[in-house]
Structures are given as structure tokens and as C-alpha cells.
Amino acid sequence: MSGAKHAVAARRRLYDRTAELAAVARLSDRSEAGLGGVLFLTGDPGEGRTAVLSRAADDFGRTGSATGTPPGTTGHLVGAPEHRGPWSGARALFAALAPTPSAARRALRLARGETGLAAAVSELLAGRPALICLDDLHLWDAHSRAALTASWQDAGPRKSGRHGGARHEGGGRRGDGRHEEGTGHGLGRPVADRSVCPGWVVSAGRHHRLPDVPGAETVRLGRLTADGSRALLDELCAVPPAPSIVGRLFDDTAGHPGLLASVARHLTAAQLTGGSPLPRPVTDGAVVAEVYGGMLGRLPADSRRLLSLVALADRTGGAGASAAYEVDIGAVLNAARATRTHVEALDGLLADGLLCRRGDLLRFEDPFLARAARASAPTAWHQRVREATGSVPPGTSGVRAGTGASPTSTVLTWSEEHRTDRLGSSPAGRVVAPVVRGRSQLVRGLAALAGGPVMDAYESLLQAAELLRDRAPVEASDARFLAMEAAWAGGDVPACLTALDGGRGARGSERDFAEGLTAALTVRLDHARPSLARVVARDGSEDDPRLLLRAGSAALVLGDTTAAARVHARALARARAERRTSLLPRVLEHLAYAELRAGRYSRAALTAREGLRAAELTGQRNVAAHQHAVLALVGSVVGDEEAVAEHAGRALETARPHGLAQAATLAEWALARAELGRGLAAQAAARLVPLVRLGPRGGHFALRMLVVPCFVEAAVASDRRAEARAAADEYAVWAVQGVDSAAPAQLARCRALLAKGEEPAYWFGEAVRHHDDSGNDFERARTLLAYGTWLRRRRRPGDARGPLRDALVTFERAAAAGWAEHARSELRATGGASGGVVPPGAWGRLTPQQQRIARLVSQGATNREVADQLSLSPRTVDHHLRSVFARLGIRSRVELSGVVGQWDMPG
């Protein structure tokens, strides 16, 4: 559009938002009473989410003084932070609530601790009712979203105050077709003082999956009516638009307030009054890009490119505000090939609701988003997509417009280089040979295994194995193994057994693997060992990476982590030699996990970082999630809290929606170990309880027992001994099966932690003896640390120093800074030197006066006693003593006794 632009006035009112403002008013009333609650507002870009939130915050502050609300009642509007990083959203929230920057920093530390975000907010509000409005939750970082969700869920739904209305799915009701309510108006209950619950009004994009908060209310912002559109245009336009123009704009924008405002800014006064013709279309690329450009810009690059391709593949152009057009998947895949665009992002677009699928057809849920995506596509793509969609594989339907027109069908033929449809075969495709359909399913399964819901991959791969069984047995074998891997990643034992059942009719190693793993999954380890050992012996020396991966998996099930790491390292070398780029991330994933299980944490970290880079380069999000989980667990070993939080958060972002139970369990385990290292035993135990339980809500079946020793340690420290004892008893049954070489040592440590009197000494000794055979130095050091701590608490400091020094040296060698500091503090408490070896010349650097003071203090004299003996003032003695501590690198009188004692020993 061109020409002079008229002035546009600032918006002063909200139109057609009666239901939305009524929901805000109900929550405001509850918040003023200290009851709190959560209200979610969802909508498309430009529909006025921010405007409603701003009004809510302003009105809450005003109505407080008029209704006798306690002083200090305020509303706060907090937008998404510009730069998204771990806890950036929480920082922005606390900056808005806190009176000073130091108070905001204290609140952030409190939110990241055991009490969580709710306590931090309560501390800042100090008993004052408040309405907190959070804008664009979908743009907040994962750490802050998780903390907010936990605080909302912990508040609990109110048991009374229901409204009438028809019940609908999810336990709520539907009133006007857009409005959803839970069992009450919000969360919380009447509380006093600092326990007053704030109200939360939270906006998010319509495509964002909202957290599951009991009792929360959800309101979907709608489009404007004709009267609302007319009122909005009258307010925005300096020149009143003609009635016919208002009707035309309402039709073309479908009452979208953001588009109406954008059109009003682009039209001239003559166009608004009807003196000049309106452009065609009114909502052109510039208008929709102005409204939807921010949303598109925040999507991942692959998702943005794929949306553009779907929009370009529509030959109708999506004319009309409500045009319902559909694009054949085959056309989209051809366009993706022509523009070299990855199609793995399609699963996420469908899951988020940005695209919809009906059979073999795709369409946009929002036609304006389609126009924005089309406008954002590079100009060179238009011709490429036109050529690609003009040569859709014969038999596909091309593009079907809402009128029902469809191109003429022809016979389906496939060339060797054609990329098969990863989402589903067309009706004509179902008549082709099973081997072609099987390979199509195999491609689809591989794509989902790399970056989609893992059980979707399982279904596709299982179908591929069945279709390929007779004519392509090698590919069928691969498909069965991959289906088993998908089910394993999802933690689904029955699905694993189903995938393995198809391999029983095979011969050689494949049969042994199927029978051996089936026996292991059904807890018949005596039957599993011979078969799996034959797989390791046969396939472990092969050159084919796929056979090596199978052998490595068999070795891990047997508990032979050394063999597993060796076989997977061989698979890595072969994959590199054969330049199998797409296979490389999977091989690195297996190798990193094998090294982690073997206790080689530094190697596991190096492998995982390389695997993470390879996975990101090839778009394999599920593999990347697993590598993030491995890095989080390594971070919990070395005590890097920031690395643990970052990698665990990244792992869980993908693992939860894609059903990656193994990666999710590893990430949660890492977070719990980090909490335990910081002394937050109660929080660590609470996090680990679900992981050690059986059932669909428990941890991954292959990791559950590995987590038990950590849980026992946290549970004992947080006085949950009954749960710890039950877990240890189950662990004892598993440990004797010999599938984990470290299990006997860890079981003995659990027994020591649970024992009473002098019995722990025996069990700690047994644990150290078993550790010497298993070879995991880090776990041995943790046992020595626990043993030394127990000895110190039994008032045996001399006996405690040996185990504690050994633990300290091991932790320092492993660069486990957090654990080393823990051992160092315990060693200081026994009177032993903990800061490493004090240089021999350090004593000589002390002045004679300082040496005399040090000797007297090490013998137990107080500062005043030293002052009287040396004819000094106590202040002078204190000054000299501080200098002694600084020069010797120690922190306490107890530690000084050990250091002086070492120098006084003969020789």
C-alpha cells in the first residue's frame, strides 16, 4: 500500500471483551480477598492479549481503594524477557515485584531453593493482595515456566464456589463456546499474613500447550463482532470510515482486531471515505506480516520454512478471510525437496495446532497465518515450489480448494530417488507393492524416532517390519530393532516385547537377541545371559555399525559396561569411516550412555557434547535430548549446578512431549543429585520418589533400580527411613542378579546408612571392598565420604580423617568441585588439613610472633589466654591469628591444630 498515512489515535477502550473482563473481575475479587487463582488467556497474534492484561492490572489497582481493600493492593504486568535464558522470566517477575534489586536477587535464590517460587513471591508481597499479569507465557524460559507451574499446582483447587453450566471434557464447563472453567474460579484458600495467595492472569499464544493446573480458568479471546469492529475503526481512524468500507474491512479481516488496526494504519483518508478504491487484497502480505511476523520470527527456522512451503503449495492463494484450502502432503514433500527443507518439524506444527491434518491433506487452522507464512517466503521459492507441486507424484491429489475441486487422478509411479511420504500413504499409494509401503513406513518411523513422539515412531517401524518381512528381511530386521529402541526410549515394556516377538522366527544373532532380551525384560536372567553373550561375541567384532549397536545394547543389558563402551566405540569408528552422517548421532548417544554407566564421566561428557552437535546439525531432537540428559548427570557429578539446570531443562523440554521416559528419568536424576550435593535432601528425595516407583508414572524401567541408592541417601537424610528401607530391600533382590557391577557396593552403602549403633562400620567396610572390584572411583569416594562423616559424628575424628582424605583426593581428581568441598568441610571438622598439602615453607613465612601464637592456639588456648601469656592485647592476637590463617590457607582453629601437629612431628 502506498500514499499518505493518516494519524491513528491510541486505543483507549476494549471492544467485545465482556466475557474476558468478567473472568478477570471474578479473579480480581478473589485476589483482593487473598484467595488467589489462575486465569489463562489464549489467542492469536493481535487479538489483544496484552491489552486485556494491561486493563486487568490497571483496574485491580484502582478498584482496591474503592472497595476497602487493604493498603498496598496492586496489579503487576510482567512481559516476556527480551533475552531468554535459564530463569530469565523469574528474574523479570521478581524485578517487577521487589522494591530493590537486592530483594529481587534474594527472591531468585529462594525460588531456586527447596521452598520454590511460591515462597519467593509470598515473601515479596508480604501479605498484600496482588494480581500478577504475565504476558506471553510461551516466550518464557523452561525453568521459569516449570517453577510457575509447580507453584500454581501446589496451591491446590478450591473445593467450593462452582458455577452452573454444562460439564465438558476435562472436568470444567463451557459457557459461551469459548470460555472454560475448572472446579472453581481459581486456586488457593483463605490465608493470612504472608500466606495470602496472589491472583495470576497469564496470556499465551493459542498454539501453546497450557500447563495442567487444577481449578484454573481458561478464556479464549475471540474476534470482534461487526459492531465492535465499527467502534474500533471509529476510534483508530482520524477520518470516520464510510459504512460500506467498514463492512468490507470487517469481511476481509474476519473481525481480527490486530489486522483491523494494521489496515487502518495503512489506508489513506480517501480510501477510508470511499473516495479511492481499496487495495486488493486489503489484508495483503505487509498487513499480515505486521501482525504475525513476531510469532513467525520466534519459531524455529525449520518450522518457519515448512509453514511457508505449505502456504506456497496452495495454488488458490487462500483468498478470502475464511478460505478453507487443503494441500496434499505429497505436494508439500516435493516442495521440501526442491527447497532442501527438513520436514521433521511437521510433527511439532501439527501438535501445536498451527497446521491441521485430514487424511493425506494439510491445512492452516488460521488462514491469516498462511498469508503471513507465504509473505515471509523467499522470492526464489515461489518458482521452485510451483515447479515442484506441478510434478506431484501421479495419483496424488495436488491441492484441493474449499470448493471441493480436485485434479484428475493418474497412476502412481515412484522413482528410486523420490522421498517417500513420511506422514501417510495416499489412497493410490495403498495399491503399490508392500515393499514400497514398508520403506515409506520405515522413513516415517526414522523421522519420528529422530524428532517426534517416540511411540509414533514405534508404530510406524513395527508396520514397516511387517511389510518388509518377506521381501526385504534385512530392512525388516533393522525396523524391528529400531521399534524396540523406540519402545525402550519410551519406557514401554509390553511394546518392547511385541517388537522382539517378531524376531523369534529369525536365525543367528537376531534370534538370540530377541530371545535374550525378552528373557531379560521378563526377569529370567539365567535364560537371557547365554543368548545375549552370543550376540556380544558374534556381532561385537563385525564391521556393520547396525550389528555393533545391537551387540552394545546386549552388553549393557548384561551389565558389562566395559564391553558395551568398547563395542560402541567400534561402531563409532565404522560410522565415521563410512561417513554415515545420519547414523552418527545415534551411535554417539549409545556410546555416551555406556561410558556414563561405566563411571567414565569425563569421557561421557566429551562424547555427549560431540553427539549433541551432530544431533543438532541433523535435526535429531530426541537424540539431542538424551545427550542433554547425560551432560546434566555428568554436571551433577562435578557439581556444576548451572550446567545441570541448563541441560536437564533442555532435555525435559523435548522428553516430556515426545514421551522419552529414559531421557526424562536421567534428567530428573541429575537434578536430584545436584540438590543432594547442595544439602537439599528433602527436595532431592521428593524428586526421586516417582522415579523409584513402579507403574506408568514411575521412572524408566531400566533406570529405576540405578536411582535407588541416591534415593536411599536422600530419604535417610530427610527422615524418610521407612521408604528408604523398602526401596533398599527391593534393591537387594535386584543386586544379586549381577546386571550391575556396582550394585553390591551400593547395596552395602544403603545398608550402612540404614543401620544403627556400630553396625554401619561393617557395612561401610563391605561397600569399600566391593568398590575396589567394580572400578567406579566416584561412587567409591561417595562411600568413603559417608563413612568418614559417620565416624566423625561418632566422635572418632582420627579414624574419620583417612576415609575423608581419600574421598577428597578422588573428588579433586574427578574435578567434582561440589563433592570435594563437602569432603573438605567434613575433614576440617575433624581437625585435619583440608585445603590440600600446605607448602613446607609456609611455616617459615610466619613471623616468630605468629609462630608462637599459632602453637599456643593449636594447644587450645583462647585469644585472651594467649594475650596474657605473651603480654599482648586480645585485639593484637586476633590480628596475628587472621594473618596465620591467610598464609597457611586454613579457616579454623581445629584445622590449625592438625597443621601445626604435622610440622611438629619428628622427621
Side-chain angles (χ1 to χ4, degrees), residues 120-463:
V121 172
S122 178
E123 184 74 19
L124 291 175
L125 294 179
R128 298 186 304 273
L131 185 70
I132 303 173
C133 303
L134 307 183
D135 202 9
D136 292 333
L137 182 67
H138 56 286
L139 301 180
W140 288 49
D141 64 284
H143 296 76
S144 300
R145 290 203 309 268
L148 287 165
T149 301
S151 70
W152 298 332
Q153 292 172 339
D154 290 344
R158 180 172 174 162
K159 303 299 183 183
S160 61
R162 294 185 182 180
H163 288 281
R167 302 294 296 175
H168 71 93
E169 181 181 3
R173 71 176 180 88
R174 191 173 296 278
D176 60 358
R178 298 179 300 168
H179 183 213
E180 301 176 10
E181 266 185 71
T183 56
H185 290 307
L187 306 176
R189 50 197 175 278
V191 287
D193 299 327
R194 290 180 180 269
S195 297
V196 169
C197 294
W200 299 83
V201 185
V202 184
S203 81
R206 186 170 55 86
H207 65 282
H208 179 67
R209 280 164 282 189
L210 297 173
D212 184 15
V213 179
E217 192 174 349
T218 301
V219 175
R220 163 78 169 89
L221 294 181
R223 304 287 169 85
L224 301 182
T225 62
D227 291 339
S229 299
R230 182 180 303 108
L232 176 62
L233 288 171
D234 286 343
E235 179 183 355
L236 292 176
C237 301
V239 178
S244 61
I245 299 299
V246 172
R248 171 75 183 280
L249 296 183
F250 173 71
D251 291 338
D252 282 6
T253 61
H256 190 301
L259 292 176
L260 282 169
S262 180
V263 168
R265 283 191 293 270
H266 285 78
L267 293 179
T268 64
Q271 289 171 326
L272 287 170
T273 56
S276 298
L278 293 175
R280 295 192 178 188
V282 172
T283 53
D284 62 5
V287 169
V288 293
E290 185 176 307
V291 177
Y292 284 82
M295 172 187 171
L296 287 173
R298 295 185 185 99
L299 289 175
D302 286 346
S303 300
R304 191 165 59 248
R305 290 164 63 94
L306 201 54
L307 284 176
S308 297
L309 288 183
V310 176
L312 289 172
D314 166 46
R315 297 174 188 169
T316 68
S322 59
Y325 56 84
E326 294 177 322
V327 183
D328 192 277
I329 292 172
V332 175
L333 293 176
N334 276 350
R337 288 181 61 204
T339 56
R340 298 183 179 181
T341 299
H342 294 292
V343 296
E344 285 75 13
L346 198 50
D347 289 322
L349 295 175
L350 290 168
D352 290 338
L354 297 178
L355 291 176
C356 298
R357 179 186 176 193
R358 183 175 66 83
D360 295 327
L361 304 175
L362 294 174
R363 70 179 179 85
F364 279 90
E365 179 73 13
D366 183 355
F368 295 118
L369 175 61
R371 294 193 207 172
R374 175 186 287 268
S376 68
T379 306
W381 279 22
H382 290 253
Q383 180 61 30
R384 290 187 200 171
V385 173
R386 196 158 38 244
E387 294 172 356
T389 54
S391 58
V392 176
T396 58
S397 58
V399 180
R400 306 180 187 181
T403 58
S406 62
T408 304
S409 299
T410 57
V411 179
L412 176 65
T413 59
W414 296 88
S415 62
E416 183 178 347
E417 68 274 11
H418 181 77
R419 181 170 189 172
T420 53
D421 176 7
R422 61 183 290 271
L423 292 176
S425 56
S426 64
R430 298 188 186 104
V431 303
V432 301
V435 67
V436 175
R437 287 187 284 131
R439 285 170 179 159
S440 174
Q441 291 284 352
L442 183 57
V443 171
R444 179 162 56 254
L446 283 169
L449 184 61
V454 72
M455 294 312 292
D456 289 356
Y458 166 80
E459 295 292 345
S460 297
L461 292 165
L462 212 56
Q463 292 178 29

Side-chain angles (χ1 to χ4, degrees), residues 489-562:
D492 193 330
V493 173
C496 284
L497 294 173
T498 301
L500 292 167
D501 189 60
R504 291 191 175 185
R507 298 178 180 178
S509 293
E510 184 181 358
R511 182 187 181 94
D512 283 337
F513 183 79
E515 292 180 347
L517 193 53
T518 298
L521 289 172
T522 52
V523 200
R524 294 179 293 117
L525 292 174
D526 289 340
H527 294 81
R529 286 191 181 93
S531 299
L532 294 177
R534 286 194 295 270
V535 174
V536 177
R538 278 193 209 132
D539 291 352
S541 57
E542 293 287 342
D543 289 333
D544 189 339
R546 66 186 186 87
L547 299 180
L548 290 167
L549 285 176
R550 187 167 66 189
S553 298
L556 277 175
V557 174
L558 289 172
D560 191 349
T561 55
T562 302

Side-chain angles (χ1 to χ4, degrees), residues 4-91:
K5 310 295 187 296
H6 71 283
V8 180
R11 184 184 302 185
R12 294 184 297 273
R13 294 182 55 192
L14 297 178
Y15 300 98
D16 290 341
R17 293 291 178 254
T18 304
E20 292 85 344
L21 294 177
V24 170
R26 287 195 297 272
L27 179 60
S28 296
D29 291 342
R30 291 174 54 81
S31 302
E32 290 172 357
L35 298 174
V38 176
L39 170 65
F40 291 115
L41 296 176
T42 69
D44 288 321
E47 287 188 341
R49 299 191 307 264
T50 303
V52 174
L53 259 64
S54 180
R55 172 67 63 84
D58 290 344
D59 287 353
F60 189 76
R62 290 199 198 99
T63 57
S65 59
T67 59
T69 306
T73 300
T74 54
H76 304 271
L77 177 61
V78 185
E82 184 177 352
H83 301 291
R84 185 161 60 174
W87 296 101
S88 58
R91 288 190 180 92

Side-chain angles (χ1 to χ4, degrees), residues 751-766:
R751 295 295 192 210
L753 293 171
L754 290 165
K756 296 181 179 179
E758 291 297 323
E759 189 181 356
Y762 167 77
W763 287 114
F764 277 126
E766 285 294 293

